[in-house]
Amino acid sequence: MGCSENLQLKIVRGDAGYVLEDVPHLTDYIPDLRTYPNPLRFNPAYSVVKQYFVNLDDTVAEKIVVHQTSPRGIHFRRAGPRQKVYFDSEEVHACIVTCGGLCPGINTVIREIVCGLYHMYGVTRILGIDGGYKGFYARNTITLTPKVVDHIHKRGGTFLGTSRGGHDTSKIVDSIEDRGINQVYIIGGDGTQKGAAVIYEEIRRRGLKVAVAGIPKTIDNDIPVIDKSFGFDTAVEEAQRAINAAHVESESNENGIGFVKLMGRYSGFIAQYATLASRDVDCCLIPESPFYLEGKNGLFEFIEKRLKETGHMVIVMAEGAGQDLLSECLQSKNLEDASGNKLLQDVGLWLSQRIKDHFARQRKMVINLKYIDPTYMIRAIPGNASDNVYCTLLAQSAVHGAMAGYAGFTVGPVNGRHAYIPFNRINEKQNKVVITDRMWARLLASTNQPSFLHPKDVTEVKEEEVPQTQLADGFDG
């Protein structure tokens, strides 16, 4: 399963280098569609709001830090309600599906899609697809109403159930067509959004009046373009509990080491931000920053130095860091999960044992290492206040976009403003920590750890890396 290459990008060019990367609309392949006045015009909750509707030509800039001679650059269509909609509320039959791993805030998104459709647009027919993509053709559905979803935001996981894999485009679109569904809301990570793009392409090929809206979900914050993914703030906050426990354990024992492994398959954002938030961490290891164990300026040398200075230390490691250090017999090179993600070894457990062995055998030094893995505790909790507000805005933006006739898009904040983003931009690459960026320098200054990079490696990284993340605040600060 991959993102269809047949999907044509809608590019609008303007003066001074302005480029709008637009999203598909139903009228692109179904001409002369009837429009309706937006029901929000008659909703008393919005009657007092000035300029509530988004202008048709409102866009959001991808980059906000520019130079005097910079072109205006790439923009995305601003999210929000339009004056006219392309669905009569009574004809809307919507469905919601959640796919992939768990993440704080999923239930809030589900709840607010249902409540947004029901209370803002008067939509009463909403289905929940049970169990991910394969639920379209292999499971029962759940009728969703505001009453049914009233309290689900207070618990973790997904009310609808989830699964990995199970994507069969023809069967899914057949199910959508057979059930008379005309709005599909898909909550999931990069693999799920690739699947959403393929579903939209097949819907368009069949000429169906069906809007497909993606809500990007990943606890690792590895989705590009958007400022950050929902659930990330909650994950960082919850990680503090594990780091605090590691700090208490390390302080209470002679040469104590608290070792915490956090999520982060290819992107170390949770580890980075949890480290910065904690201030109790002495060393942070992430996939983007190579490190080595032995020799001058290696990890073992730094651990020994820190233990001699303070008598204790805390190490935070992202799950994808140091995979290259494992022997080939331990690496799962060709093994993947149902979503196509490479299966990783528990490098944290392996490294903690290597640290014990090194100091016991080579340095003849007694250490007390406590290994803490809060992975599933962090992702299985409900969203915190910040994420709940964010999830509400995401859900409402998705509903406004679908009602306005945008047919294949994902939604997210770009520089603080919610926008409709083409699927291909979300799927084209992974967001990663830029270790030549100021944010990583701030972490190194906070922990006082070495970069573990040889000067030659730093030069190579600078040549290869282009800052990708909005969250890292790398250009200005």
Side-chain angles (χ1 to χ4, degrees):
M1 180 182 68
C3 185
S4 174
E5 295 180 357
N6 296 324
L7 195 61
Q8 296 296 315
L9 295 180
K10 293 176 65 178
I11 304 295
V12 178
R13 300 186 185 277
D15 297 336
Y18 170 94
V19 178
L20 169 62
E21 293 192 357
D22 207 355
V23 293
H25 195 273
L26 289 171
T27 54
D28 293 342
Y29 62 95
I30 307 177
D32 303 322
L33 273 180
R34 182 181 173 183
T35 61
Y36 307 87
N38 193 319
L40 290 175
R41 292 184 183 182
F42 316 108
N43 189 318
Y46 298 95
S47 61
V48 297
V49 179
K50 294 182 178 180
Q51 297 181 336
Y52 183 72
F53 295 106
V54 174
N55 292 325
L56 290 176
D57 59 352
D58 280 1
T59 60
V60 178
E62 182 177 25
K63 302 291 184 183
I64 58 172
V65 178
V66 297
H67 305 292
Q68 192 173 28
T69 57
S70 297
R72 291 179 63 189
I74 294 174
H75 290 64
F76 302 107
R77 190 168 291 280
R78 187 181 178 188
R82 269 55 180 176
Q83 293 274 3
K84 295 181 179 179
V85 296
Y86 284 79
F87 289 94
D88 180 8
S89 298
E90 293 183 357
E91 76 173 350
V92 174
H93 190 194
C95 75
I96 307 170
V97 63
T98 58
C99 307
L102 299 183
C103 177
I106 296 176
N107 282 334
T108 305
V109 175
I110 295 170
R111 181 187 188 279
E112 297 309 319
I113 290 174
V114 173
C115 292
L117 284 168
Y118 194 94
H119 294 306
M120 291 192 295
Y121 288 98
V123 173
T124 58
R125 294 192 298 162
I126 309 168
L127 287 179
I129 304 299
D130 183 13
Y133 274 138
K134 62 185 178 184
F136 275 101
Y137 52 88
R139 294 286 189 95
N140 294 326
T141 59
I142 304 168
T143 300
L144 300 178
T145 65
K147 184 177 181 179
V148 170
V149 300
D150 189 33
H151 299 292
I152 65 173
H153 63 292
K154 297 179 182 178
R155 64 190 201 222
T158 166
F159 175 73
L160 298 178
T162 186
S163 65
R164 294 189 181 276
H167 186 279
D168 187 316
T169 306
S170 294
K171 286 184 177 180
I172 291 171
V173 179
D174 286 346
S175 175
I176 290 170
E177 193 171 5
D178 292 344
R179 296 176 189 272
I181 293 169
N182 50 23
Q183 289 186 10
V184 182
Y185 297 91
I186 301 175
I187 306 167
D190 54 354
T192 301
Q193 299 305 310
K194 289 177 183 177
V198 176
I199 290 170
Y200 163 71
E201 186 70 8
E202 176 62 16
I203 285 172
R204 179 169 177 157
R205 189 188 68 78
R206 298 189 189 186
L208 304 178
K209 185 187 176 182
V210 179
V212 179
I215 296 93
K217 167 204 66 70
T218 169
I219 200 170
D220 292 335
N221 192 51
D222 59 1
I223 292 178
V225 182
I226 64 175
D227 296 345
K228 63 181 175 181
S229 52
F230 75 81
F232 178 75
D233 279 353
T234 305
V236 170
E237 185 176 301
E238 186 68 10
Q240 303 304 296
R241 296 176 59 189
I243 293 173
N244 184 58
H247 186 243
V248 170
E249 288 283 352
S250 67
E251 275 194 319
S252 303
N253 291 278
E254 179 186 4
N255 290 329
I257 300 176
F259 194 117
V260 180
K261 188 192 80 171
L262 299 175
M263 297 190 77
R265 179 179 294 272
Y266 300 114
S267 302
F269 286 109
I270 293 179
Q272 179 188 24
Y273 276 76
T275 294
L276 284 166
S278 168
R279 302 295 177 178
D280 287 330
V281 178
D282 299 277
C283 183
C284 178
L285 304 173
I286 62 173
E288 296 89 339
S289 182
F291 65 95
Y292 53 99
L293 303 181
E294 301 182 25
K296 185 175 177 56
N297 296 324
L299 180 62
F300 291 156
E301 181 184 87
F302 175 66
I303 292 173
E304 184 175 353
K305 176 185 176 184
R306 187 55 58 91
L307 289 177
K308 287 179 178 178
E309 290 174 349
T310 64
H312 61 87
M313 74 178 299
V314 174
I315 300 172
V316 168
M317 184 180 201
E319 62 181 322
Q323 290 287 326
D324 58 310
L325 300 176
L326 293 169
S327 62
E328 290 191 9
C329 63
L330 292 177
Q331 291 183 17
S332 304
K333 286 188 175 180
N334 300 316
L335 299 180
E336 297 179 342
D337 63 18
S339 296
N341 299 313
K342 180 181 176 182
L343 291 176
L344 302 180
Q345 292 292 331
D346 191 341
V347 69
L349 192 60
W350 172 83
L351 181 55
S352 63
Q353 190 59 51
R354 282 294 309 271
I355 294 171
K356 292 178 184 178
D357 292 343
H358 172 82
F359 285 97
R361 296 177 184 177
Q362 297 188 30
R363 309 305 295 176
K364 307 299 182 183
M365 182 177 174
V366 176
I367 64 169
N368 288 281
L369 188 148
K370 300 297 189 293
Y371 179 64
I372 300 174
D373 182 355
T375 297
Y376 295 104
M377 293 173 61
I378 285 174
R379 77 177 198 174
I381 63 174
N384 64 10
S386 173
D387 271 321
N388 274 339
V389 172
Y390 178 22
C391 290
T392 299
L393 298 179
L394 279 176
Q396 292 187 1
S397 293
V399 169
H400 292 318
M403 291 298 296
Y406 294 108
F409 66 94
T410 191
V411 63
V414 179
N415 296 315
R417 297 287 185 179
H418 284 246
Y420 299 136
I421 306 163
F423 279 128
N424 72 293
R425 288 301 307 274
I426 293 293
N427 299 327
E428 65 186 0
K429 59 187 176 183
Q430 287 183 313
N431 193 28
K432 294 187 177 183
V433 174
V434 179
I435 63 171
T436 55
D437 195 12
R438 277 195 284 274
M439 204 62 178
W440 183 245
R442 289 167 182 148
L443 180 141
L444 297 180
S446 172
T447 61
N448 200 28
Q449 71 183 67
S451 69
F452 299 115
L453 287 175
H454 295 293
K456 178 173 67 70
D457 296 329
V458 174
T459 302
E460 291 176 356
V461 168
K462 284 183 177 179
E463 291 175 351
E464 293 175 3
E465 284 187 338
V466 176
Q468 301 171 15
T469 174
Q470 304 293 322
L471 182 64
D473 187 28
F475 294 99
D476 174 277

